[in-house]
Amino acid sequence: MLGSELDAAGVQGRELRQAYQRCRALNAAHGKTFFLATRLLAPGQRPAVHALYGFARRADDVLDGFDDRTTAEREDELRQLSDALHSRLVENRMAGDDPVLDAVVDTARHYGLPWQLFEDFLASMRMDLTISDYPDRAALDRYVYGSAEVIGLQLLPILGTVVPTAEAAPHAAALGKAFQLTNFLRDIDEDLTRGRVYLPADELAAHGVDREVLYWCQRNRRTDARLRAALIEQHAITRDIYRQAELGIPMLRPQSRPCIRAALTLYSEILDRIEEIDFEVFTQRATVSNGRRLQVAARGLGAAWRARIRQAA
């Protein structure tokens, strides 16, 4: 199956094909919901999406691996990753042996993805090394733009649009942002263990919540009334961003819509699960069941096949 995807994408050369295979394996292993949605794309679109995921995963592993690397060592790893990508993509120079970079550079050149989107992404990754709190929504938005919105913007040329790209871009960015904010709500416990809080401090403070309250909730494995009120507010904000993102789906090429619809549905249902557990995010992780994933995927697969048949006709 992968060989046919690479053929459809026009990927030639044994080493480059192996590079894309490596990225696909990373996506399958770590991005289960995202990987499932990717299966709804046309075969020729999938390798590029895997390449972007593989690169994002490389940067994320530098930041979040639970090991004894120091902040300086992680910073140096990110710098090396950035320098290697810049050398290849901008300066057209090979820099080391890295199959993930081989694939993402090939994708960037094929779809005309500018270096600035990758630089903005890496800038947010560097923020994670030294910033553990965000005082207000504007500060968090600056981080989320690089960590998530640019991913939506990178995917847009791969997905294709039936309107000018600039018209669809805000909705693509909103989708990445909605996914990221959903992660922040679901993963409060895990992020707090890493010493990070990805919720605006002033909006938490309006409900009487600070780090001391968050750590109390974590230690006692319960969400107190103050934090619940704050999370309800954050939940509503995230819902609104999903609505903005959903407006962009009809702007995509028909064969891309089932994939994005499925991803939006499954990720937004994580918000449903958070609400269903009454925001007790310290006792369980809100997830969508495998059965529900398969149900959404099956519906999307039918829609994807119909879109491809119409396109062929």
Side-chain angles (χ1 to χ4, degrees):
M1 181 64 75
L2 178 56
S4 64
E5 292 176 1
L6 295 174
D7 292 340
V11 178
Q12 302 295 322
R14 182 177 62 88
E15 291 186 357
L16 186 57
R17 289 169 74 92
Q18 289 177 343
Y20 275 101
Q21 289 171 350
R22 171 61 178 156
C23 293
R24 184 183 188 276
L26 287 171
N27 194 351
H30 300 287
K32 292 181 172 57
T33 297
F34 187 66
F35 181 78
L36 183 63
T38 302
R39 302 295 300 158
L40 304 181
L41 291 173
Q45 295 172 297
R46 297 171 197 165
V49 177
H50 295 321
L52 291 174
Y53 182 91
F55 178 75
R57 185 72 200 182
R58 277 287 310 280
D60 193 57
D61 284 345
V62 172
L63 296 169
D64 288 337
F66 284 106
D67 54 41
D68 58 359
R69 286 175 297 169
T70 65
T71 297
E73 289 170 334
R74 294 176 195 265
E75 185 175 14
D76 186 59
E77 286 186 49
L78 274 182
R79 180 189 56 77
Q80 291 180 38
L81 182 63
S82 177
D83 289 349
L85 180 62
H86 188 273
S87 294
R88 292 173 183 234
L89 183 57
V90 179
E91 300 172 357
N92 202 26
R93 293 189 299 110
M94 289 298 293
D97 179 19
D98 191 326
V100 171
L101 291 186
D102 290 341
V104 79
V105 168
D106 183 70
T107 289
R109 287 176 176 162
H110 182 80
Y111 288 99
L113 304 181
W115 159 252
Q116 189 60 51
L117 291 179
F118 293 97
E119 171 56 23
D120 290 340
F121 170 75
L122 290 165
S124 284
M125 297 303 98
R126 288 190 289 270
M127 289 171 67
D128 266 331
L129 293 172
T130 57
I131 298 175
S132 58
D133 299 271
Y134 294 86
D136 50 35
R137 179 67 56 178
L140 184 64
D141 281 348
R142 284 192 292 274
Y143 171 78
V144 171
Y145 174 77
S147 67
E149 292 184 39
V150 298
I151 305 299
L153 297 175
Q154 288 172 339
L155 287 172
L156 199 53
I158 301 169
L159 300 173
T161 62
V162 295
V163 299
T165 301
E167 185 178 343
H171 303 286
L175 186 65
K177 184 175 187 176
F179 289 174
Q180 182 74 294
L181 295 182
T182 300
N183 287 339
F184 292 161
L185 289 171
R186 179 192 63 191
D187 298 336
I188 291 173
D189 187 20
E190 181 180 332
D191 291 333
L192 201 57
T193 299
R194 292 190 173 103
R196 300 173 187 161
V197 178
Y198 291 108
L199 301 171
D202 61 342
E203 294 175 20
L204 294 180
H207 297 278
V209 176
D210 56 15
R211 268 192 180 257
E212 183 178 348
V213 171
L214 289 171
Y215 281 124
W216 183 92
C217 292
Q218 186 181 49
R219 286 193 306 271
N220 290 276
R221 316 309 294 172
R222 57 168 294 211
T223 300
D224 82 348
R226 292 168 295 177
L227 179 57
R228 180 172 288 102
L231 295 183
I232 289 171
E233 180 181 63
Q234 299 300 313
H235 189 277
I237 291 169
T238 305
R239 280 282 188 214
D240 284 342
I241 296 171
Y242 273 108
R243 295 186 188 101
Q244 297 170 28
E246 190 170 14
L247 295 175
I249 294 179
M251 300 179 185
L252 301 175
R253 292 168 61 194
Q255 59 267 40
S256 297
R257 294 171 193 168
C259 167
I260 301 307
R261 173 69 65 185
L264 186 149
T265 297
L266 290 174
Y267 244 88
S268 66
E269 286 186 6
I270 294 174
L271 290 184
D272 295 340
R273 303 290 89 77
I274 292 172
E275 195 169 27
E276 287 170 4
I277 64 174
D278 198 24
F279 298 91
E280 291 292 345
V281 292
F282 295 100
T283 57
Q284 54 186 301
R285 193 171 191 263
T287 59
V288 178
S289 70
N290 288 334
R292 176 58 178 162
R293 289 181 186 178
L294 293 174
Q295 182 185 42
V296 172
R299 184 189 308 141
L301 185 61
W305 274 110
R306 290 190 295 274
R308 291 173 207 168
I309 290 171
R310 284 194 295 269
Q311 182 187 26

